[in-house]
């Protein structure tokens, strides 16, 4: 494993960082204060991101993306992750790679418009009664007169207000297993405007202002067979095949924000004087900086190793869980310590720190909570010895 970056990777980092600093940072204060991302601003920044070759760069080259290896993609994510989430997620979109699992017609209808910046996707699994335990979902898809009829509620669905369609996972049947009955899940494409499908405002959220979540309601929403993504009853299989790397994406965006907070803390520790000297000269502060830098490096290495193994075809669920768990917990620690180093100023919204601290909170919850990541890691350890 080579720890250095290639010339191309260095260029990806520089180009993405320049875009984030020059085009996204100037709009952060507005989004933070209003909690809203203006459509005219989205369109302006989206056009610039497309022009810079940064839009949908997560996608393979043959469908119009940048065709990056996993580490290069994650370096790009790390840079984007420095900025306000709503800004980078909406204006420099990375369409879900589950769209690659679609049929030729589905690719024409959903994947390519997302890559061109003409449509946005969103993905709905979570329900009020089924979060970590997704197999417990009750929203259902039943066969009726040659169609599928969807009923039920999904909540916490990110970006659904802006999205043009949703990929929704529904309980479509049950099978008998040695451990009892198991729900079968099917994934469907549902367009906004389909009769029986409603998107309602979700909850106000402490993290990621401007990045909304919605409640989706399905009330006898009728879909043809052509709306099924992947195979009937194999929704989790298609999700597992295509969504594995999203935990690494969360890890990388967290690393970018953690680095931004650390750089603020280092600069402030060198500038701010109390008791006649730089506060960075006090061991109480300098040791914090040392721990922050060391933990960030540990999280970076876990993520990079997982990325490298991903491309070798040897990555395990535990590798990706470790990267997500460590990066999200390190971000929380660094955000908190960066505020401590800034004293009262750290809490004021002149600096991005209070925001990074708030934003850090959701990262230990979505894409699998920290407890679920620990469960995945320990399960792999125990299975190896027959546990
Ligand atoms: C802002 C936001 C945006 C989101 N966006 C989306 C989206 O776009 N699409 C989507 O489908 N979902 C989305 N989610 C849902 C997210 O993935 C869930 O919140 C997450 O999976 C946890 O589910 P839950 O909130 O229902 O918590 P629960 O599953 O009810 O968990 C509650 C607590 O119990 C713990 N717990 C649960 N099971 C175990 C266990 N076996 N062992 C130990 N501890 C356990 C959890 O770790 C947690 O601490 C979003 C959530 C948020 C907050």
């Amino acid at each position: 494993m080579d720890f250095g970056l290639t010339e191309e990777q260095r260029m990806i980092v520089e180009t993405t960082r320049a875009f984030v600093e020059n085009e996204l940072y100037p709009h952060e204060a507005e989004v933070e204060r209003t909690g809203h991302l203006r459509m005219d601003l989205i369109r302006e920044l989206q056009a610039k991101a497309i022009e810079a070759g940064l839009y949908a760069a997560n996608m393979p080259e043959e469908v119009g993306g940048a065709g990056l290896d996993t580490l290069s993609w994650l370096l790009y994510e790390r840079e984007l992750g420095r900025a306000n989430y709503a800004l980078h997620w909406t204006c420099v979109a990375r369409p879900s790679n589950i769209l690659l699992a679609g049929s030729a017609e589905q690719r024409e209808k959903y994947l390519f418009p997302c890559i061109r910046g003409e449509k946005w996707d969103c993905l709905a699994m979570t329900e009020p009664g089924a979060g970590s335990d997704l197999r417990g979902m009750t929203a259902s898809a039943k066969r009726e007169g040659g169609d599928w009829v969807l009923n039920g509620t999904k909540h916490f669905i990110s970006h659904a207000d802006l999205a043009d369609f949703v990929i929704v996972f529904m309980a479509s049947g049950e099978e008998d297993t040695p451990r009892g009955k198991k729900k079968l899940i099917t994934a469907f494409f549902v367009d906004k405007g389909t009769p029986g499908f409603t998107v309602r405002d979700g909850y106000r959220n402490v993290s990621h202002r401007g990045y909304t979540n919605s409640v989706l309601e399905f009330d006898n929403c009728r879909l043809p067979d052509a709306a099924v993504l992947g195979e009937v009853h194999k929704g989790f299989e298609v999700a597992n095949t295509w969504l594995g790397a999203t935990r690494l994406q969360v890890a990388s965006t967290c690393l970018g924000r953690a680095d931004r907070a650390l750089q603020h803390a280092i600069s402030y520790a060198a500038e701010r004087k109390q008791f006649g000297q730089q506060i960075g000269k006090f061991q109480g502060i300098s040791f914090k900086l040392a721990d922050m830098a060391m933990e960030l490096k540990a999280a970076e290495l876990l993520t990079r190793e997982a990325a490298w193994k991903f491309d070798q075809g040897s990555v395990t669920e535990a590798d990706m869980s470790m990267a997500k768990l460590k990066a999200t917990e390190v971000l929380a620690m660094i955000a908190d310590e960066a505020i401590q180093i800034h004293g009262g100023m750290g809490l004021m919204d002149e600096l991005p720190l209070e925001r990074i601290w708030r934003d850090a909170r959701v990262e230990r919850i979505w894409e699998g909570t920290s407890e679920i990541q620990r469960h995945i890691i320990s399960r792999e350890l125990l299975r190896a010895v027959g546990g």
Side-chain angles (χ1 to χ4, degrees):
M1 186 177 180
D2 184 355
F3 290 96
L5 299 188
T6 63
E7 200 45 53
E8 193 196 347
Q9 286 168 338
R10 254 193 292 277
M11 224 177 67
I12 291 168
V13 170
E14 278 167 25
T15 315
T16 316
R17 187 170 310 176
F19 188 87
V20 165
E21 290 181 351
N22 299 331
E23 305 295 347
L24 304 187
Y25 282 1
H27 303 289
E28 285 186 330
E30 176 191 323
V31 178
E32 289 298 324
R33 286 193 182 133
T34 62
H36 177 67
L37 192 51
R38 285 181 284 118
M39 188 47 85
D40 58 326
L41 180 61
I42 295 174
R43 291 299 181 201
E44 178 195 326
L45 295 175
Q46 191 187 37
K48 288 182 177 172
I50 292 170
E51 170 81 25
L54 295 174
Y55 200 86
N58 61 318
M59 284 284 152
E61 217 166 356
E62 59 271 21
V63 294
L68 304 175
D69 59 81
T70 304
L71 177 57
S72 304
W73 165 56
L74 292 177
L75 291 167
Y76 151 88
E77 293 290 344
R78 186 182 185 279
E79 295 311 314
L80 291 174
R82 293 173 183 277
N84 165 284
Y85 206 90
L87 274 166
H88 75 73
W89 195 260
T90 314
C91 308
V92 197
R94 283 85 81 204
S96 172
N97 65 354
I98 201 172
L99 293 169
L100 292 162
S103 63
E105 294 76 32
Q106 289 169 340
R107 282 179 167 215
E108 284 299 329
K109 187 170 176 194
Y110 300 108
L111 172 68
F112 297 122
C114 283
I115 294 173
R116 291 193 298 263
E118 296 159 7
K119 283 188 179 178
W120 283 289
D121 57 317
C122 71
L123 201 120
M125 295 188 179
T126 308
E127 297 179 5
S132 303
D133 176 19
L134 283 170
R135 284 250 184 223
M137 69 172 65
T138 55
S140 66
K142 296 204 168 106
R143 290 299 277 170
E144 207 181 282
D147 286 334
W148 290 96
V149 178
L150 275 52
N151 279 291
T153 302
K154 300 283 175 184
H155 80 162
F156 292 161
I157 307 309
S158 300
H159 223 237
D161 56 343
L162 275 176
D164 296 273
F165 64 92
V166 58
I167 299 160
V168 67
F169 291 75
M170 292 284 188
S172 50
E174 266 184 351
E175 67 178 346
D176 287 315
T177 74
R179 290 157 73 187
K181 291 216 179 292
K182 189 170 129 191
K183 277 189 183 148
L184 296 164
I185 311 293
T186 303
F188 297 88
F189 284 103
V190 190
D191 294 310
K192 280 250 185 86
T194 305
F197 172 40
T198 315
V199 178
R200 280 200 289 111
D201 285 349
Y203 316 86
R204 283 171 64 81
N205 172 10
V206 69
S207 300
H208 299 319
R209 286 191 184 148
Y211 188 70
T212 54
N213 65 85
S214 303
V215 176
L216 310 189
E217 274 162 6
F218 298 88
D219 179 13
N220 287 321
C221 174
R222 196 168 271 273
L223 299 175
D225 280 329
V228 173
L229 171 61
E231 285 180 49
V232 171
H233 302 324
K234 302 271 191 226
F236 280 162
E237 283 80 347
V238 81
N240 289 340
T241 308
W242 292 98
L243 297 178
T246 52
R247 270 173 281 160
L248 298 181
Q249 186 178 33
V250 172
S252 291
T253 51
C254 287
L255 295 174
R257 283 205 306 294
D259 184 53
R260 187 173 176 191
L262 174 61
Q263 297 313 320
H264 274 278
I266 294 169
S267 302
Y268 196 73
E271 278 163 25
R272 174 76 171 167
K273 289 201 172 112
Q274 288 293 279
F275 300 97
Q277 63 171 359
Q278 294 168 353
I279 59 168
K281 292 258 163 51
F282 298 119
Q283 207 175 64
I285 299 292
S286 65
F287 278 20
K288 279 190 200 304
L289 292 174
D291 287 343
M292 290 155 82
M294 178 181 67
E295 290 294 325
L296 181 57
K297 191 171 206 169
E300 298 263 14
L301 289 173
L302 278 176
T303 306
R304 286 194 191 190
E305 193 220 31
W308 180 79
K309 286 173 90 174
F310 200 92
D311 285 338
Q312 304 295 311
S314 60
V315 77
T316 67
E317 290 294 315
D319 292 325
M320 293 189 282
S321 288
M322 282 186 199
K324 197 258 175 186
L325 179 60
K326 184 71 180 169
T328 55
E329 297 203 339
V330 162
L331 170 63
M333 183 277 272
I334 290 182
D336 197 67
E337 291 291 44
I339 287 182
Q340 196 65 22
I341 289 171
H342 281 75
M345 217 39 225
L347 293 170
M348 303 301 142
D349 68 2
E350 269 72 12
L351 292 172
L353 297 176
E354 59 85 27
R355 165 172 79 66
I356 292 175
W357 182 64
R358 278 189 285 105
D359 290 352
R361 196 61 193 87
V362 73
E363 309 291 355
R364 288 182 282 153
I365 293 175
W366 64 9
E367 288 301 333
T369 63
S370 291
E371 291 75 19
I372 294 300
Q373 306 304 336
R374 287 189 164 86
H375 169 68
I376 294 169
I377 297 163
S378 56
R379 186 180 58 191
E380 203 166 297
L381 295 172
L382 292 166
R383 273 189 186 158
V385 292

